[in-house]
Amino acid sequence: MSEDPNPNTAPLPAEWAVLGKRAGRSMGYEVLDGSLPGDRAQRYLWSATTGTPDGRDPAGSLPWRVFLSTADGEDRPVCAVVDTTWDGSKDGTGTASYTWRLLLAEWQPASRAGVTWTSLDRAAAHTEPVPGAELVLRTERTPAAELAATVDRLGFEWAAGMAALLLDGRHLVITAPRGTTLPGIDERVRALDAICALLPYGCRTWLSGATWAGKTEHGLRLVFAASARSGQLETPLGGGLPPAPGGDTARTYLAELTRVRAKRESTADVVAHLLAATAPLPLREGADAVRVLRELDLLDSVLDSVRQGRGQVEEVGRLLALHALDTLDEGRQRELAVFLANTAARPDDGTAAALLVRHRTPRLPDLLAAEVLSRPASKETFQLARSYLRLTQQLEAAGHPAVFGRLFTALATAPGYDPAWAGQLAYMVEKEYGYSTDAVDRVLTGVPEAGTAWLKGLLSNRARELRPLDRLLAAASAPGGGPVPGWLRFAGALTGHPTADGVTEADAAAFVGDNEEAWRIALETARDHGRPGIVRPLWPVLRTALESGRHPGLPALLEELAPPGAPGLTPEAAADADLLWLIGRAALPGPPPTTPPPRLRALTDGAPALDRYADALVARCDPDPALRDRAIAALLGERPDPVHGWPVLTRWMRHRPSSEATVREELARRLMTPGYAPWLELDLPTDLVDGLERAGLAWIGAVRRLRLAYTARVPLAELAGIIVAGCPHRAVTGRLLDEIAAVLTARGPGFAFTLTLELDRQLPGLGLALYQALGRDARFGELRTRLIRFSHEEEARHRRIIGALSGPAAPAGPPPAPHRPSPYPPQAPPSAPTAPGVPHAPQPPPAPEGHPGYPHASTYEEEHSSWLGSLFKKRGGA
């Protein structure tokens, strides 16, 4: 299918000829050029010759125009015009050499096109024949209202009287009233045409006229001239009523013409009716003209029935047999065409469709489009348009060319009509008929509402056929086409089209518009084409959808589009998707999520990827403190993530120091739980630790330094110094006590002895205070039991030693042997579970024998066992 040319004009094949004198010739006019055979051309040209122009008569100045329907020797009617002009050339005798140009169209195509003398004159003015080339006139049907306006300007009674005289067989000459001048050439053409318009169109098979006639005898029926000659009847223009016709038929016709005009009070209705009577009507059958005029009552009755919903296809067919559809005025054409089209859409044995084929008019698409567009856009008008398109496709198959394309284009490009409706229609036509036009495509790319409606239909189709989208993108991206619309660029990004790089949030917003389902279509399309990065420009839209709580399927769709580690999922898109995941979880009932962002954990590109992820989070959360706080809490999670979550948070704090307050608050909450210990293993910035201490966690500095020092195996004195610094008032409490208990549980009672000895050395009484703190806290019962057991064992051993040393003096003998180390191996701590609530301290590898920082318990047992024994005796022992 292809688009039809301008529907306001009709192509009319024509022949041509030129009569004149060849240069230098002094005698004899001849046919100089043309497409007609010379003898036939001469017959028409000589029939149009009414005399030699006389420059002394202004009314008879050139050009002269003559309208012919036949010529001597011709046996079939035509529609012809002859122009007489002079370009200043002269023949060999010095006499002016005139030129006659003939344009001739055959009667049948001319009558189907509704050609009148006015339209023929206008077409001729814009036509220049080319030797050897086919000549086609672009004729525009003269509106009945225009001809009727000329009739009324001339005076209906005067023009009707002239028409009746023509039907009476008279040759009429129009002259200027005394003391006046005749109008210009164009107005004379309109006057001749208006008089003829009061006769049935078929009378033009014998009518002829001229804008001026000279003194030569001629057979033209209606002319302007200076005066009448023999056999002619002279009537001044607007100078009173013409004489009454002599024949009965002409008098009857004039009476009927006056009657129907009075009945309707509209000259246009009468003219439209007569223009529709295109069947040839010879002069000798004037009674048929009366019958045609009276058929105006039939036209009225049929149209009344149609308007009242009682129209009958048979009656319309009878009417169209008398009046060609395209000869009626536009209003009546539309009423009849719409009636037949609506009837053809219902089962009626095909009669209505056959009538449209038989009485086809090039205006049918415009008439049907006008009917649809006269109503507000709705499902009903959409179905009406669909039925008309289906009908026109059938008409095309039956030989009615281009009606489908013209109807579609008229509907989809109508200015001011609902653009979304037009976009839906364009998609339907493309889907069902595979048809598109450049004109409609320009509407789709130029009017966002039309384009997005078209796109919605395209993407809603489960088949997701994307060639139409490629076509539209290619058309919009062509050189000189201007910028590609944002919605179209975004649509291309959904499928990976190369012209759609760099889409923005504004593009996505244009795509979605006010259609809440557009984002779903976008996500599904991007998912099917592996485009997870589309989350970025869609982010604001998706956030709104998630927060509304009306789209429970959205989180699952996001997971399908951008699962962790998906190919093409950039760190920035991963950050956006994780924020949407977080927003979606927050919208659900229940506590917030405790697991860290899933896509962050899937990043494997190291520090650069974490940098980009962090930057994206910062950009999204900067204007939204509530979202920032939720994101920080999610990055911390319920268990430390030193590989992904904590590095991103440290980058965030580095970029936005103000975020440290939220991190500090969330971290403090976790440090105040029984499972605080793993959080101390993170690489906490010094400023953050200082802030935590100021926020009420005074112990955190000492505890963290103790843990790091113990893990690094610093000397015992340094380890004790950290504890001393954390207990300035010899009070060992809180998390510091928990951490020391964890160390003692891991290293055993012997290590406890050496550590407390060093504590008393650095701060007297602190070692005992430590034991007292452990004794007061019910959580450390297992550790206390181990310490008491160790003290009892040491106490018993010391008693044996004292007893041995307290016996009778031995006789003198050899000198004592050198002191040797105790044969007892270092005591290993019993395997016992850590007391509830006591975190496990890190486990360094066993120190080698004699390590200066961590001596075995036996090194100091003699020196300290009685002190421990007495301490635990007072506590009641075990």
Side-chain angles (χ1 to χ4, degrees):
M1 297 182 184
S2 61
E3 294 183 59
D4 205 46
N6 182 358
N8 295 322
T9 62
L12 183 64
E15 305 288 349
W16 65 282
V18 174
L19 181 73
K21 290 183 180 180
R22 299 189 185 277
R25 295 287 298 273
S26 59
M27 298 293 290
Y29 283 93
E30 59 182 305
V31 176
L32 303 179
D33 203 349
S35 60
L36 277 172
D39 57 344
R40 189 178 183 209
Q42 280 188 335
R43 285 195 287 270
Y44 285 104
L45 288 166
W46 289 123
S47 294
T49 303
T50 64
T52 302
D54 186 351
R56 292 171 298 179
D57 186 355
S61 59
L62 295 177
W64 291 355
R65 293 190 186 118
V66 177
F67 300 95
L68 299 173
S69 58
T70 188
D72 291 339
E74 291 292 311
D75 58 358
R76 64 180 186 269
V78 297
C79 185
V81 60
V82 176
D83 243 4
T84 304
T85 59
W86 182 51
D87 61 2
S89 59
K90 296 182 179 181
D91 64 12
T93 65
T95 303
S97 179
Y98 301 101
T99 301
W100 286 261
R101 186 185 70 164
L102 165 69
L103 298 178
L104 181 149
E106 297 298 333
W107 169 260
Q108 287 297 337
S111 62
R112 282 198 301 270
V115 173
T116 65
W117 293 349
T118 303
S119 58
L120 182 63
D121 182 64
R122 290 170 180 169
H126 296 90
T127 301
E128 189 62 41
V130 177
E134 181 182 3
L135 177 62
V136 177
L137 301 176
R138 301 298 303 182
T139 59
E140 183 173 356
R141 182 185 302 276
T142 307
E146 180 182 338
L147 292 169
T150 303
V151 169
D152 291 337
R153 191 165 58 252
L154 295 172
F156 179 83
E157 292 80 4
W158 182 86
M162 296 289 283
L165 289 171
L166 288 172
L167 190 63
D168 206 23
R170 304 300 298 269
H171 292 251
L172 305 180
V173 174
I174 303 173
T175 60
R178 186 180 301 275
T180 65
T181 59
L182 291 173
I185 302 299
D186 292 340
E187 182 61 25
R188 293 183 210 175
V189 171
R190 284 190 285 271
L192 297 173
D193 209 9
I195 293 169
C196 294
L198 293 180
L199 292 170
Y201 185 94
C203 292
R204 292 173 187 255
T205 56
W206 52 266
L207 285 170
S208 56
T211 58
W212 189 257
K215 298 179 181 180
T216 301
E217 296 291 338
H218 60 80
L220 301 178
R221 296 277 177 179
L222 180 64
V223 301
F224 282 89
S227 60
R229 300 185 63 79
S230 61
Q232 297 176 330
L233 178 62
E234 178 179 332
T235 304
L237 181 65
L241 293 179
D248 291 340
T249 299
R251 286 198 301 272
T252 302
Y253 186 86
L254 179 59
E256 282 297 301
L257 192 58
T258 304
R259 179 187 68 82
V260 296
R261 168 62 179 79
K263 178 181 178 181
R264 281 155 189 79
E265 298 183 356
S266 170
T267 306
D269 286 348
V270 178
V271 171
H273 172 71
L274 294 172
L275 287 175
T278 57
L281 203 160
L283 178 59
R284 63 181 179 274
E285 298 177 6
D288 285 344
V290 177
R291 176 183 55 79
V292 168
L293 189 57
R294 288 171 175 168
E295 285 171 352
L296 182 56
D297 294 328
L298 172 64
L299 176 60
D300 288 343
S301 65
V302 171
L303 285 172
D304 285 343
S305 296
V306 167
R307 291 165 187 153
Q308 296 170 16
R310 298 183 289 102
Q312 298 293 322
V313 174
E314 295 76 11
E315 288 297 310
V316 172
R318 190 161 71 90
L319 176 64
L320 294 180
L322 299 171
H323 302 280
L325 182 61
D326 56 0
T327 62
L328 299 174
D329 65 89
E330 183 174 343
R332 289 167 172 168
Q333 282 188 52
R334 176 174 158 185
E335 288 180 299
L336 293 177
V338 167
F339 167 76
L340 291 175
N342 291 343
T343 306
R346 306 189 298 266
D348 74 325
D349 72 13
T351 304
L355 283 175
L356 286 172
V357 173
R358 186 180 313 124
H359 300 284
R360 66 189 187 189
T361 170
R363 288 192 50 76
L364 178 63
D366 303 299
L367 299 173
L368 297 181
E371 177 66 17
V372 174
L373 300 174
S374 66
R375 312 178 187 186
S378 64
K379 291 181 180 179
E380 289 72 22
T381 53
F382 192 88
Q383 292 305 319
L384 183 63
R386 185 195 290 265
S387 69
Y388 286 169
L389 287 166
R390 190 182 304 116
L391 172 65
T392 53
Q393 189 188 43
Q394 297 168 3
L395 295 179
E396 281 201 5
H400 206 329
V403 288
F404 179 94
R406 281 181 45 207
L407 173 59
F408 167 57
T409 302
L411 290 170
T413 62
Y417 205 65
D418 185 354
W421 186 95
Q424 293 168 355
L425 184 75
Y427 169 69
M428 182 275 293
V429 168
E430 187 152 10
K431 175 177 177 289
E432 296 185 8
Y433 299 98
Y435 183 84
S436 63
T437 71
D438 291 342
V440 176
D441 282 354
R442 285 192 292 271
V443 171
L444 297 179
T445 57
V447 183
E449 295 86 349
T452 52
W454 174 87
L455 186 67
K456 177 186 176 183
L458 180 72
L459 298 182
S460 296
N461 187 345
R462 291 298 177 185
R464 297 275 164 83
E465 171 55 59
L466 298 176
R467 280 178 296 184
L469 179 59
D470 292 339
R471 184 200 76 249
L472 210 59
L473 275 165
S477 307
V484 179
W487 69 266
L488 182 57
R489 188 166 54 248
F490 181 82
L494 297 178
T495 61
H497 196 279
T499 63
D501 293 334
V503 294
T504 65
E505 291 179 1
D507 297 335
F511 173 88
V512 173
D514 57 1
N515 179 4
E516 288 194 354
E517 289 301 307
W519 59 260
R520 187 184 305 278
I521 295 170
L523 292 184
E524 290 175 350
T525 306
R527 174 200 62 195
D528 296 344
H529 289 82
R531 306 290 295 174
I534 212 66
V535 168
R536 295 225 78 202
L538 264 181
W539 195 88
V541 173
L542 296 177
R543 174 180 183 170
T544 301
L546 282 168
E547 290 179 336
S548 72
R550 297 194 304 269
H551 308 286
L554 177 53
L557 193 52
L558 276 171
E559 291 300 317
E560 294 174 5
L561 168 64
L569 185 64
T570 63
E572 293 83 359
D576 278 350
D578 277 343
L579 283 175
L580 292 171
W581 166 84
L582 185 63
I583 293 168
R585 295 289 297 272
L588 297 175
T594 58
T595 54
R599 291 159 193 82
L600 171 60
R601 289 176 293 166
L603 294 181
T604 57
D605 293 339
L610 295 179
D611 285 338
R612 293 166 61 187
Y613 185 97
D615 289 345
L617 285 186
V618 170
R620 288 288 186 211
C621 295
D622 262 355
D624 191 337
L627 181 61
R628 176 200 63 198
D629 293 349
R630 275 188 281 171
I632 289 174
L635 287 170
L636 281 171
E638 292 303 318
R639 296 185 60 83
D641 178 9
V643 178
H644 295 103
W646 186 248
V648 169
L649 277 175
T650 57
R651 287 168 168 79
W652 196 335
M653 289 186 286
R654 186 166 59 247
H655 289 314
R656 297 291 187 274
S658 59
S659 63
E660 186 177 301
T662 303
V663 176
R664 184 171 62 246
E665 180 180 338
E666 288 291 331
L667 192 57
R669 185 178 63 81
R670 288 159 177 77
L671 288 169
M672 285 187 280
T673 63
Y676 74 93
W679 296 99
L680 297 174
E681 297 174 10
L682 294 174
D683 183 16
L684 302 177
T686 301
D687 290 346
L688 183 60
V689 173
D690 293 343
L692 288 168
E693 289 180 329
R694 290 191 300 271
L697 300 176
W699 54 268
I700 189 171
V703 170
R704 189 164 180 274
R705 288 191 292 274
L706 176 61
R707 175 166 292 216
L708 295 175
Y710 180 77
T711 303
R713 299 190 55 76
V714 301
L716 182 65
E718 184 177 340
L719 193 70
I722 293 172
I723 297 174
V724 169
C727 306
H729 304 293
R730 294 184 179 86
V732 187
T733 59
R735 297 301 188 208
L736 182 58
L737 178 61
D738 295 345
E739 192 68 18
I740 296 172
V743 171
L744 299 182
T745 298
R747 296 296 293 161
F751 179 78
F753 171 74
T754 59
L755 177 61
T756 52
L757 184 67
E758 179 63 23
L759 289 175
D760 280 334
R761 188 186 67 78
Q762 294 188 24
L763 183 62
L766 182 57
L768 180 61
L770 173 58
Y771 281 119
Q772 289 173 336
L774 292 172
R776 286 192 300 267
D777 199 320
R779 294 178 300 149
F780 306 125
E782 179 62 29
L783 175 60
R784 189 171 62 248
T785 298
R786 290 173 60 194
L787 292 174
I788 291 173
R789 184 185 302 120
F790 172 80
S791 296
H792 281 313
E793 290 171 355
E794 289 301 303
E795 182 182 25
R797 181 169 176 269
H798 289 318
R799 285 179 181 151
R800 289 193 298 273
I801 293 172
I802 293 172
L805 294 175
S806 300
H819 173 74
R820 295 177 180 175
S822 171
Y824 301 104
Q827 178 178 346
S831 177
T834 304
V838 180
H840 291 283
Q843 294 286 345
E849 188 71 28
H851 186 281
Y854 297 94
H856 292 295
S858 60
T859 306
Y860 298 102
E861 61 187 3
E862 293 140 351
E863 193 173 346
H864 208 56
S865 62
S866 62
W867 180 73
L868 282 175
S870 63
L871 169 65
F872 285 103
K873 271 184 173 182
K874 287 203 296 182
R875 295 287 299 165

